[in-house]
């Protein structure tokens, strides 16, 4: 499955699925209710089979085109660690963050069981995560940007943590382009504890946010019938 090079505005990836109708990835909201939500969801999330293996593997391959053995990478909203573990053999180190303690526990157990020793799993909110500027060669934010309170602030932090020429890989549910009714459903669902924080925006909005924070989009791809757009962007 080819990944198209970006054209202007060209036409949610949990670690084992693609294009979820509802958010399935742990977010980086500071609200403790979101951490508790994903703690409750963690075991079912981990057990859920890959929905679209071809698309998932295409994203892995596209990402690996930017990985090198001496690189240090960061993944925020890492969930149960599947993508971090998949990329670990191709880089020097992986720092994987998630707000859910149970997700992190599953990730650590999976890495240990597979003999993967170059991943540090940390329960952390990306908003509060502390690292020096230009610390990482690649940052992954997969099915997460629609689950944060301030998309622009999150992307600005990504840009700050990337080394010059570093790469940000994201897969984001752009609900405004096909499921805009979540604008009304999401606040009620969160209030009832049935959904995490969920922001409704379009692919155009996402592109403007990335470019507005000094990231140059080099690959942009939306699988057929998907609400998620996969973007690879480079720090200018």
């Amino acid at each position: 499955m080819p990944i198209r090079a970006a054209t202007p505005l060209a036409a949610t990836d949990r670690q084992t699925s693609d294009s979820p109708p509802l958010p399935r990835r742990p977010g980086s909201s500071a609200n403790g209710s979101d951490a508790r939500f994903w703690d409750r969801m963690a075991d079912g999330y981990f057990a859920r089979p890959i929905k679209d293996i071809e698309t998932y593997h295409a994203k892995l391959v596209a990402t690996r085109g930017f990985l090198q053995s001496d690189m240090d990478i960061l993944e925020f909203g890492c969930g149960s660690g599947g993508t971090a573990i998949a990329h670990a053999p191709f880089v020097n180190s992986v720092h994987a963050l998630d707000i859910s303690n149970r997700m992190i526990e599953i990730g650590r157990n999976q890495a240990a069981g597979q003999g993967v020793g170059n991943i540090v799993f940390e329960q952390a909110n990306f908003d509060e995560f502390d690292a020096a500027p230009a610390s990482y060669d690649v940052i992954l934010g997969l099915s997460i940007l629609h689950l944060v309170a301030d998309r622009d602030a999150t992307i600005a932090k990504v840009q700050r943590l990337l080394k010059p020429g570093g790469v940000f890989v994201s897969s984001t549910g752009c609900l405004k382009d096909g499921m805009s009714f979540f604008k009304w459903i999401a606040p009620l669902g969160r209030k009832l504890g049935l959904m995490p924080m969920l922001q409704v925006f379009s692919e155009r909005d996402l592109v403007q946010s990335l470019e507005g924070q000094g990231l140059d989009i080099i690959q942009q791809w939306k699988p057929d019938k998907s609400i998620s757009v996969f973007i690879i962007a480079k720090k200018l």
Side-chain angles (χ1 to χ4, degrees), residues 54-233:
E54 184 180 1
T55 296
Y56 179 66
H57 283 167
K59 293 178 180 182
L60 292 179
V61 170
T63 302
R64 286 175 188 160
F66 297 89
L67 303 182
Q68 297 178 17
S69 61
D70 61 346
M71 286 183 168
D72 299 310
I73 72 175
L74 172 72
E75 182 178 6
F76 65 99
C78 70
S80 51
T83 299
I85 292 169
H87 289 316
F90 300 91
V91 297
N92 177 56
S93 71
V94 182
H95 197 156
L97 311 178
D98 201 276
I99 62 169
S100 165
N101 183 63
R102 179 56 183 154
M103 290 286 190
I104 291 298
E105 182 182 6
I106 293 172
R108 286 174 179 155
N109 290 340
Q110 289 299 303
Q114 297 179 43
V116 178
N118 63 334
I119 305 178
V120 172
F121 284 99
E122 179 182 355
Q123 182 188 15
N125 181 324
F126 183 63
D127 295 343
E128 300 167 0
F129 174 67
D130 186 25
S135 291
Y136 297 99
D137 300 282
V138 176
I139 296 179
L140 310 179
L142 304 173
S143 290
I144 183 68
L145 291 178
H146 53 293
L147 300 178
V148 300
D150 190 332
R151 180 179 73 252
D152 288 332
T154 298
I155 295 171
K157 185 166 187 176
V158 167
Q159 199 269 1
R160 185 166 67 253
L161 295 181
L162 280 173
K163 296 178 182 179
V167 169
F168 178 42
V169 181
S170 63
S171 185
T172 307
C174 297
L175 294 167
K176 190 175 180 180
D177 293 330
M179 294 183 172
S180 58
F181 54 85
F182 273 104
K183 179 178 180 180
W184 294 277
I185 294 175
L188 177 60
R190 188 165 189 247
K191 185 176 181 179
L192 295 174
L194 301 175
M195 296 178 66
M197 176 179 293
L198 176 63
Q199 303 291 343
V200 177
F201 52 82
S202 68
E203 182 176 354
R204 180 184 294 271
D205 295 331
L206 176 60
V207 168
Q208 290 177 342
S209 291
L210 291 164
E211 293 180 339
Q213 297 298 334
L215 295 170
D216 181 35
I217 295 174
I218 53 180
Q219 292 189 10
Q220 184 173 337
W221 172 51
K222 181 183 284 188
D224 293 339
K225 300 180 181 179
S226 174
I227 61 167
S228 297
V229 58
F230 179 75
I231 291 178
I232 299 177

